[in-house]
Amino acid sequence: MEMSMASTTPCFSLPKKTFCISTPIFKKHLFGTTLPCCLSAKLPLKLNPIPTSIKCAVSEATQAPSEKKSQLMRRSDIRNIAIVAHVDHGKTTLVDSMLKQAKVFRDNQFVQERIMDSNDIERERGITILSKNTSITYKDTKINIIDTPGHSDFGGEVERGYQTVDFGNRGIGKVDSVEGPMPQTRFVLKKALEFGHAVVVVVNKIDRPSARPEFVVNSTFELFIELNATDEQCDFQVIYASGIKGKAGLSPENLGEDLGSLFEAVIRCIPGPKINKDGALQMLATNIEYEEHKGRIAIGRVHAGSLRRGMDVKICTSEDACRFGRVSELFVYEKFSRVPAETVEAGDICAVCGIDDIQIGETIADKSDGKPLPSIKVEEPTVKMSFSVNTSPFVGRERDYEVVADFHQLKGHQLDYAKEHQRSSSLLEQRWESGKYVTSRNLRDRLYRELERNLAMKVEDGETADTFIVSGRGTLHITILIENMRREGYEFMVGPPKVINKRVNDKLLEPFEIATVEVPEEHMGSVVELLGKRRGQMFDMQGLGSEGTTFLKYKIPTRGLLGLRNSILTASRGTAILNTVFESYEPWAGDISTRDLGSLVAFDDGTSTSYALMSSQDRGQLFIGPGVDVYKGQIVGIHQRSGDLALNVCKKKAATNVRSNKEVTVVLDTPLDFSLDDCIEYIQEDELVEVTPSSIRMLKNPKSAKKTR
């Protein structure tokens, strides 16, 4: 798209970059009918009408002379893309529509929503945790799609997805038509640009009543400039879409009846992968899966040469660390499943079986001439938590209760004795198998097994033999691991999250994050006061159109974010939305008080009674109701004042021979129902969370109590 301008060529500056009108980015249609807000006020530019076809400078700029020097060629029959966006901006929903319109499923086949979120926790929480592969075919072109997480805590999955796509290939970046670029958008976009990717920007949810596409595209462009994007990367194609309706178009007012515009943008704006077809085999393992009858399955993209079933290969970590193996089975991704293949050419994504000891980051290379590819590097963890063996009085008790309950339930079935005995015995054996992981050896094996596929996590031995220190990218990163372990039958205890500090030149540094809060105007005062107490520094505030909400941006220490989510929800009556992303390490910000109230602690072992709870609820908010087994030291509620308070929640009403004239009606408040995430945020330095397959409890740390004495 050409622009009319004066005879002279003025220049202007933006953060970290200086542009002239002669820059190619301003010669093509990028932003619908307007330039970014930072430019439109400076130059009297006139835009021609929107073109009806897609033409991308990205694909033209990629035909560099360096390709001939390196003897690389492009495959025109394949595209490798990664879909990246902030949490809840519709990545998985868009993939659903792409799969359906590509006729991956039968017309009469039942397909659940968010088909790519196959993990139970993903479906429950409504977020993507693991990167997943699929493919579709559009006009004789195979499109390999990687659905990546949107949360920065799972940045290791995002970085592996980029490595799978290509070191220099492309991706689809999505932004919400109302919210625009969010903290996680910045994180995933920064990683994409670092890998040299160019992006097709999809403005999703364009059918929302409060959509503001011009503002969103302008903000996205400014984010590109801020992240030091090249001219070719800034020359991105914009597609407006409604993922849930399966519609897309080149303008927000004129969406097509399907996603044809998006498919065309992928084919035209995203070139095929660069390959060395005649070179020695090279394939980087970027993901690991496991199946009982196939063993370990390595997933990655073939960078050079070709891979054949039954081929002898060399597995390399570095030039000096190589071993040999053989490919027993080979699969490629077609539609929504893995399909056996005899040969996989360079540029395609495949799954390899037969190498039982392969790890993420290792290279499957030619047996004689193969060389390793650069290994995968991820950012360092910022938060750590202690995992220890469960030492509470209730360890193993719930497991026995469940077995007996199921055994008695089986006895009621109308079965003969032989079938009943056989079925109950197998069920008992299965239950004991699923609940026996209570020792330090079980805990150690499970944690170190997690390191095989979770590159962003670290595990170290603690101060004692039954304690381990687990470090991750954030509290959510470690909480997902805890939830998976408890569903697998593990019983253990975890301590409060702590930030990982650094000391550089005798200066103590701590991690800082960018926090964005979307809050209604009537609750903005209390939220600002709360963030100020956590050492947060506001650097941006703006309104969000007609919805009556304010968008706040803060730079805040990671310590100040621990336990902040529940406090913000309380201060805003459950209406605020908090998002964070790691920024950098900066000097220590000072002491921060993350919790002003103490805990209500059980005085003795026993079963809670209504009589005791009626008097205890005047002291604060309780976590339990009547008839619940508790033990000494268990946290049963939140004290209404600072400091802990011991309560006897098992006290029974004394039985006397004196009858009252009137019965006293017991009215109990509804107990607080804390999830695992809530418990992790609540506990302090001297408290622990007990995690079992069926219960989550909080307790005072017995070791801390001994130290204080």
Side-chain angles (χ1 to χ4, degrees), residues 275 281-283 300-307 344-348 350:
I275 64 171
L281 170 66
Q282 284 182 312
M283 171 188 162
R301 188 182 67 88
V302 181
H303 288 260
S306 60
L307 189 61
V344 177
E345 300 293 336
D348 206 351
C350 65

Side-chain angles (χ1 to χ4, degrees), residues 492-532:
F492 54 98
M493 290 181 172
V494 296
K498 303 177 182 178
V499 299
I500 300 176
N501 300 320
K502 293 182 179 180
R503 187 170 291 276
V504 179
N505 298 329
D506 294 332
K507 291 185 178 181
L508 184 61
L509 305 181
E510 65 173 328
F512 274 70
E513 302 192 25
I514 299 298
T516 60
V517 184
E518 183 180 343
V519 59
E521 293 181 359
E522 60 266 24
H523 303 302
M524 187 177 65
S526 56
V527 171
V528 170
E529 180 182 1
L530 181 61
L531 288 168

Side-chain angles (χ1 to χ4, degrees), residues 506-671:
D506 294 332
K507 291 185 178 181
L508 184 61
L509 305 181
E510 65 173 328
F512 274 70
E513 302 192 25
I514 299 298
T516 60
V517 184
E518 183 180 343
V519 59
E521 293 181 359
E522 60 266 24
H523 303 302
M524 187 177 65
S526 56
V527 171
V528 170
E529 180 182 1
L530 181 61
L531 288 168
K533 293 180 179 179
R534 302 291 186 110
R535 303 280 182 174
Q537 299 178 358
M538 183 192 299
F539 64 89
D540 189 18
M541 178 175 66
Q542 55 181 300
L544 285 181
S546 60
E547 296 185 356
T549 58
T550 304
F551 193 70
L552 308 174
K553 285 188 178 182
Y554 276 82
K555 189 172 186 178
I556 184 172
T558 303
R559 288 182 299 128
L561 294 173
L562 302 178
L564 179 63
R565 196 173 302 273
N566 282 333
S567 300
I568 281 188
L569 289 176
T570 301
S572 64
R573 304 296 189 268
T575 57
I577 301 175
L578 172 66
N579 292 287
T580 61
V581 65
F582 172 75
E583 175 69 10
S584 61
Y585 273 87
E586 297 189 10
W588 180 264
D591 295 332
I592 298 176
S593 177
T594 58
R595 199 180 81 189
D596 299 329
L597 303 179
S599 299
L600 301 177
V601 185
F603 181 80
D604 202 356
D605 302 346
T607 303
S608 60
T609 63
S610 300
Y611 176 73
L613 294 178
M614 183 178 63
S615 57
S616 299
Q617 67 184 6
D618 296 335
R619 305 289 186 174
Q621 295 177 293
L622 296 176
F623 295 142
I624 63 172
V628 178
D629 292 337
V630 298
Y631 53 82
K632 182 178 180 180
Q634 180 178 338
I635 298 175
V636 296
I638 303 176
H639 192 199
Q640 61 185 1
R641 298 179 181 178
S642 60
D644 299 333
L645 178 64
L647 295 175
N648 186 0
V649 294
C650 305
K651 181 173 61 176
K652 298 180 180 179
K653 185 177 182 180
T656 65
N657 58 355
V658 179
R659 295 187 178 184
S660 60
N661 296 330
K662 181 172 72 171
E663 292 291 336
V664 178
T665 302
V666 177
V667 180
L668 298 178
D669 297 334
T670 303

Side-chain angles (χ1 to χ4, degrees), residues 46-294:
K46 183 179 179 181
L47 300 179
N48 292 331
I50 298 175
T52 57
S53 61
I54 300 174
K55 184 179 180 181
C56 303
V58 171
S59 58
E60 297 169 2
T62 53
Q63 304 295 332
S66 59
E67 293 185 22
K68 298 180 181 179
K69 296 180 181 180
S70 60
Q71 296 181 350
L72 296 180
M73 59 176 293
R74 288 197 181 274
R75 288 188 60 177
S76 59
D77 62 334
I78 195 169
R79 300 291 188 274
N80 297 326
I81 62 174
I83 298 182
V84 297
H86 176 74
V87 178
D88 198 32
H89 277 197
K91 299 181 299 297
T92 307
T93 303
L94 179 64
V95 174
D96 282 355
S97 297
M98 295 175 71
L99 292 172
K100 292 176 182 177
Q101 295 189 19
K103 302 298 181 182
V104 171
F105 309 106
R106 301 189 311 270
D107 293 337
N108 62 344
Q109 182 176 351
F110 172 75
V111 180
Q112 60 185 0
E113 293 182 358
R114 304 195 319 274
I115 186 65
M116 296 294 287
D117 287 344
S118 55
N119 187 289
D120 291 339
I121 300 180
E122 290 179 325
R123 302 196 65 81
E124 292 172 7
R125 294 175 177 252
I127 60 175
T128 301
I129 298 173
L130 302 174
S131 295
K132 302 177 189 66
N133 298 66
T134 187
S135 72
I136 60 176
T137 301
Y138 179 77
K139 292 185 177 180
D140 299 327
T141 301
K142 182 179 181 181
I143 304 176
N144 288 313
I145 302 173
I146 300 178
D147 185 20
T148 62
H151 203 287
S152 61
D153 280 21
F154 309 113
E157 295 289 327
V158 177
E159 291 168 21
R160 286 188 319 175
Y162 291 148
Q163 297 273 18
T164 306
V165 169
D166 197 344
F167 285 103
N169 212 336
R170 307 296 185 254
I172 294 179
K174 298 176 76 275
V175 288
D176 188 280
S177 63
V178 177
E179 297 176 351
M182 298 290 284
Q184 275 73 28
T185 310
R186 178 188 179 90
F187 170 79
V188 296
L189 182 58
K190 178 182 178 182
K191 292 301 175 184
L193 297 178
E194 287 177 356
F195 278 101
H197 294 201
V199 182
V200 174
V201 175
V202 177
V203 181
N204 196 31
K205 304 183 181 180
I206 198 65
D207 53 339
R208 291 183 61 176
S210 55
R212 43 180 187 170
E214 291 185 5
F215 168 81
V216 169
V217 175
N218 294 342
S219 301
T220 304
F221 173 74
E222 293 172 357
L223 180 58
F224 270 69
I225 301 300
E226 185 179 347
L227 296 177
N228 285 329
T230 64
D231 293 347
E232 290 78 16
Q233 289 172 330
C234 289
D235 193 5
F236 53 81
Q237 173 68 46
V238 179
I239 300 294
Y240 303 91
S242 172
I244 194 169
K245 294 182 178 179
K247 297 181 178 181
L250 295 177
S251 65
E253 298 84 8
N254 187 20
L255 297 184
E257 295 299 322
D258 52 23
L259 296 175
S261 299
L262 177 59
F263 290 136
E264 290 291 337
V266 170
I267 299 300
R268 298 192 186 188
C269 300
I270 299 181
K274 296 179 182 179
I275 64 171
N276 187 357
K277 185 176 182 181
D278 299 326
L281 170 66
Q282 284 182 312
M283 171 188 162
L284 183 68
T286 56
N287 201 357
I288 296 292
E289 293 183 1
Y290 180 84
E291 290 187 10
E292 186 174 354
H293 60 289
K294 288 186 175 65

